[in-house]
Amino acid sequence: RQPLDWHEGEQPPRRQFCTWLSDLLAVYRHHPPLHAGDSGRGLGASDDSFEWVESNKDACVLAFVRRWRRDRPVLVIVNFGSQEHRNYTFCAPHYGEWEVLLNSDDGRY
């Protein structure tokens, strides 16, 4: 057995990853549409809480919206590629402004 090297967690890449993970879990916990109603659902279950919005394999972009009861819906947009997409467009499920809850391009991460 080897003890954990806790001091390594203070190195910038590890600290940034821990900050990202902490913020991601906080968003998940504080926004019920991201998780409410999932227990007992199988993959591919069809109901109104999940809707695909974008699936672009060439751009490596996925987007989906999660809804739960009367809570504000959450739109998740993920770029799995290394290329930044400026002025990327797709049809959002609702008109209006959307608040950015988490952006992995933020300098803190």
Side-chain angles (χ1 to χ4, degrees), residues 16-65:
Q16 289 169 309
F17 177 76
C18 288
T19 300
W20 163 257
L21 188 57
S22 175
D23 290 354
L24 178 63
L25 293 172
V27 166
Y28 181 79
R29 184 176 58 249
H30 289 95
H31 296 278
L34 290 172
H35 59 82
D38 281 350
S39 62
R41 285 179 27 152
L43 289 177
S46 61
D47 63 20
D48 293 337
S49 69
F50 179 92
E51 176 188 352
W52 284 110
V53 175
E54 179 80 344
S55 177
N56 183 332
K57 67 178 181 179
D58 295 328
C60 299
V61 172
L62 291 175
F64 58 90
V65 65

